[in-house]
């Protein structure tokens, strides 16, 4: 009996407490408007200039709508494309029934080997001598981010010089990691070509030890790359001014259609013993956009330094996402690391790059036919996925608001999202926007 009594007295206040708590919570709720939050002061972030375009495109109900905003390859039917060689690799992976254990922080060994060989060539002395510190990371963006964080930590005070214009996310990435960025001249709107003198002058004026972000090939957004002779001059200035190149290689295979040719600049820099960082992405050339596969490497002149640098990049990655994802890395090592699959991939790269070249020509022909007195040669002179039209933000707005053609407001059109059947429509919209706005 006694024990029941104790239990009853103990139980009493325990039952009463929730009743009081509910009452207090009700009084509090009544005193505050229901939507109130401690984070009410957080302002809405502006939409991303590139990804926001796709969101607006999805909301548009017009049958004419065309998404030329994001640099993603589409078929002639304007559908997303999964490479056949990727599907084949996935079938092999399924058959191999591999586990889903964590990868090491530095990533899948066969992926890292294939990735540095794709960049520098399988017989590269730099690789053979163990002078490449390669960390598998989250596609191009994550790789750039780890590279920028490494610069912030180990090269304090170094300024990152980025091209004017450049891919919109470069500024975000360096700013977010606390690395000051400035611009160097790159594009000449008069010639719609490279402002080579301006570029060289700006690099010569950069403080010693600055980082220079260089698009390895198929410059985004301009589609204008330096020639081999110009790369040689750029390398001269980099050596003379003790600058640190940071290549962004997001389009290997899309500039010339050849994976080897498109790696010219980093291979040439390595031959001249220029130390550099490089971020690689398989989003575009293997169509692995959502798999987030890429790598950040430092190509150095000393194997010991490469080991130490890798250890520090691992430390940075550990605190950000720990281990990289395995699925895309396995696809890459199946495709890039296997001779037969590699040949198949080259064929599909050729097909994708060829389709973009074909619509470039068709767009040019349609523009010339509609307005023969204007110089439209920039359309076919530029390379890669994009056409940088020189259209003003008002002209771009007209393209979207009147013609339902979605593009970034810097005047960039992604030709990877254009089909032959839409070239005439696009040309008419461009001429209307350029002539009337
Ligand atoms: C110049 C450049 N660098 C890097 C990237 C990174 O893309 P991802 O993070 O999808 O690999 C892009 C994508 O558009 C790009 O254009």
């Amino acid at each position: 009996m006694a024990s029941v009594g104790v239990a009853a007295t103990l139980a009493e206040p325990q039952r009463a407490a929730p009743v009081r708590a509910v009452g207090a919570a009700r009084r509090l709720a009544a005193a505050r408007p229901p939507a109130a939050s401690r984070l009410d002061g957080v302002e809405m972030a502006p939409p991303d200039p590139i990804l926001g375009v796709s969101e607006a495109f999805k909301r548009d109900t017009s049958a004419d709508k065309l998404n030329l905003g994001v640099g993603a390859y589409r078929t002639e039917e304007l559908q997303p494309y999964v490479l056949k060689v990727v599907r084949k690799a996935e079938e092999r992976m399924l058959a191999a029934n591999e586990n889903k254990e964590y990868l090491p922080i530095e990533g899948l060994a066969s992926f890292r080997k294939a990735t540095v060989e794709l960049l520098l060539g399988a017989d590269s002395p730099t690789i053979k001598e163990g002078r490449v510190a390669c960390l598998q990371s989250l596609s191009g963006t994550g790789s750039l981010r780890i590279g920028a964080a490494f610069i912030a930590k180990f090269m304090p005070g170094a300024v990152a010089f980025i091209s004017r214009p450049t891919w919109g996310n470069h500024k975000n990435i360096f700013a977010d990691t606390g690395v000051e960025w400035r611009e160097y001249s790159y594009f000449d709107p008069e010639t719609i070509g490279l402002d080579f003198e301006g570029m060289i002058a700006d690099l010569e004026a950069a403080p010693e030890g600055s980082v220079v972000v260089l698009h390895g090939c198929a410059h985004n957004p301009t589609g204008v790359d330096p020639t081999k002779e110009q790369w040689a001059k750029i390398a001269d200035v980099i050596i003379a001014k003790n600058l640190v190149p940071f290549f962004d290689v997001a389009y290997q295979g899309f500039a010339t259609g050849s994976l080897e040719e498109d790696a010219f600049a980093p291979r040439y820099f390595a031959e001249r013993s220029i130390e550099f960082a490089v971020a690689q992405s398989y989003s575009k050339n293997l169509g692995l956009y959502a798999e987030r596969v890429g790598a950040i490497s430092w190509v150095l002149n000393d194997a010991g330094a490469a080991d130490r640098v890798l250890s520090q990049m691992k430390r940075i990655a550990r605190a950000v996402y720990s281990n990289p994802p395995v699925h895309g890395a396995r696809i890459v090592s199946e495709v890039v690391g296997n001779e037969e699959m590699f040949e198949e991939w080259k064929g599909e790269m050729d097909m994708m790059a060829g389709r973009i070249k074909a619509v470039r020509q068709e767009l040019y022909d349609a523009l010339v036919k509609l307005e023969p007195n204007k110089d439209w040669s920039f359309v076919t002179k530029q390379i890669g996925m994009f056409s940088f039209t020189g259209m003003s933000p008002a002209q771009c707005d007209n393209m979207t608001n009147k013609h339902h053609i979605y593009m970034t407001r810097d005047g960039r059109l992604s030709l990877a999202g254009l089909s032959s059947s839409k070239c005439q429509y696009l040309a008419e919209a461009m001429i209307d926007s350029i002539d009337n706005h």
Side-chain angles (χ1 to χ4, degrees):
M1 284 296 285
S3 65
V4 171
V6 171
T9 44
L10 272 177
E12 209 42 50
Q14 280 173 357
R15 271 202 303 272
V19 174
R20 276 202 299 275
V22 168
R26 278 210 190 108
R27 275 196 302 281
L28 234 157
R32 268 200 316 218
S37 160
R38 70 172 69 235
L39 300 182
D40 268 350
V42 176
E43 284 175 15
M44 185 63 80
D48 182 82
I50 301 176
L51 300 182
V53 173
S54 293
E55 284 161 23
F57 172 79
K58 276 188 202 144
R59 289 193 295 270
D60 191 329
T61 52
S62 165
D64 292 329
K65 69 176 182 174
L66 188 57
N67 187 1
L68 305 181
V70 72
Y73 182 81
R74 295 281 180 273
T75 62
E76 180 56 32
E77 294 72 38
L78 298 182
Q79 294 305 307
Y81 179 64
V82 180
L83 273 74
K84 292 191 183 72
V85 77
V86 166
R87 285 291 187 230
K88 208 166 168 180
E90 285 180 322
E91 278 160 22
R92 288 185 182 197
M93 286 156 57
L94 203 60
N97 197 21
E98 285 164 304
N99 65 43
K100 301 282 186 194
E101 290 283 289
Y102 287 126
L103 283 181
I105 302 174
E106 70 271 26
L108 188 69
S110 54
F111 165 88
R112 294 164 59 231
K113 180 176 183 297
T115 299
V116 294
E117 287 184 0
L118 182 68
L119 185 82
L120 297 174
D123 52 0
S124 153
T126 323
I127 298 174
K128 287 197 176 121
E129 291 158 19
R131 294 191 278 111
V132 186
C134 173
L135 178 101
Q136 179 192 332
S137 190
L138 305 183
S139 209
T141 307
S143 302
L144 286 160
R145 175 70 193 226
I146 297 292
F150 183 91
I151 289 164
K153 198 165 176 186
F154 294 98
M155 297 163 63
V159 176
F161 280 77
I162 56 182
S163 63
R164 184 178 54 248
T166 192
W167 176 54
N169 218 8
H170 280 152
K171 292 176 188 172
N172 292 336
I173 291 167
F174 286 102
D176 250 26
T177 37
V179 176
E180 184 192 339
W181 59 266
R182 293 181 209 158
E183 292 180 314
Y184 61 84
S185 304
Y186 191 82
F187 185 68
D188 180 353
E190 289 300 309
T191 61
I192 317 203
L194 182 63
D195 174 9
F196 187 60
E197 278 77 44
M199 178 181 183
I200 292 295
D202 288 348
L203 296 187
E204 277 172 341
E208 284 227 3
S210 295
V211 172
V212 189
V213 179
L214 298 161
H215 298 224
C217 65
H219 183 275
N220 178 6
T222 66
V224 174
D225 281 357
T227 62
K228 288 183 181 173
E229 293 69 34
Q230 287 169 334
W231 277 120
K233 189 81 202 295
I234 293 166
D236 291 344
V237 178
I238 281 172
I239 293 170
K241 292 295 316 245
N242 193 25
L243 303 176
V244 183
F246 189 167
F247 281 107
D248 180 359
V249 179
Y251 297 94
Q252 190 174 352
F254 272 110
T256 63
S258 151
L259 289 158
E260 286 83 15
E261 270 293 297
D262 284 1
F264 169 80
R267 288 183 190 192
Y268 173 74
F269 277 42
E271 265 168 40
R272 289 189 63 177
S273 302
I274 300 172
E275 296 193 316
F276 61 86
V278 54
Q280 288 170 262
S281 164
Y282 289 101
S283 292
K284 321 282 173 163
N285 55 13
L286 262 175
L288 295 177
Y289 309 96
E291 297 292 357
R292 314 310 291 147
V293 232
I296 170 76
S297 301
W298 278 91
V299 176
L300 300 170
N301 289 333
D302 178 79
D307 287 344
R308 294 192 294 279
V309 166
L310 180 61
S311 74
Q312 292 293 352
M313 288 201 295
K314 283 167 66 173
R315 204 165 165 203
I316 294 170
R318 176 71 173 136
V320 184
Y321 56 78
S322 202
N323 318 69
V326 74
H327 187 79
R330 282 185 181 145
I331 296 173
V332 170
S333 70
E334 285 282 346
V335 175
V336 185
N338 172 306
E339 220 172 291
E340 194 188 316
M341 299 276 273
F342 188 64
E343 286 309 309
E344 265 186 68
W345 178 33
K346 282 201 227 167
E348 282 192 280
M349 271 296 329
D350 241 22
M351 182 276 291
M352 291 192 289
R355 204 188 77 72
I356 298 171
K357 268 194 195 135
V359 289
R360 227 179 235 296
Q361 187 62 48
E362 285 172 61
L363 175 64
Y364 171 79
D365 293 343
L367 287 165
V368 170
K369 211 161 173 190
L370 286 167
E371 207 160 289
N373 300 329
K374 259 207 171 87
D375 180 9
W376 300 105
S377 60
F378 69 89
V379 176
T380 44
K381 263 197 234 153
Q382 294 165 344
I383 54 162
M385 279 194 166
F386 302 107
S387 178
F388 197 53
T389 62
M391 278 195 269
S392 67
Q395 291 166 342
C396 297
D397 289 346
N398 186 63
M399 295 282 284
T400 304
N401 299 337
K402 183 169 167 194
H403 301 284
H404 307 276
I405 296 174
Y406 288 78
M407 60 190 289
T408 48
R409 291 180 86 230
D410 59 359
R412 186 192 82 167
L413 294 168
S414 169
L415 299 184
L418 179 63
S419 62
S420 288
S421 61
K422 290 278 190 178
C423 285
Q424 182 68 21
Y425 181 67
L426 174 60
E428 284 168 12
M430 283 172 73
I431 285 173
D432 170 53
S433 304
I434 292 168
D435 289 353
N436 302 317
H437 291 274

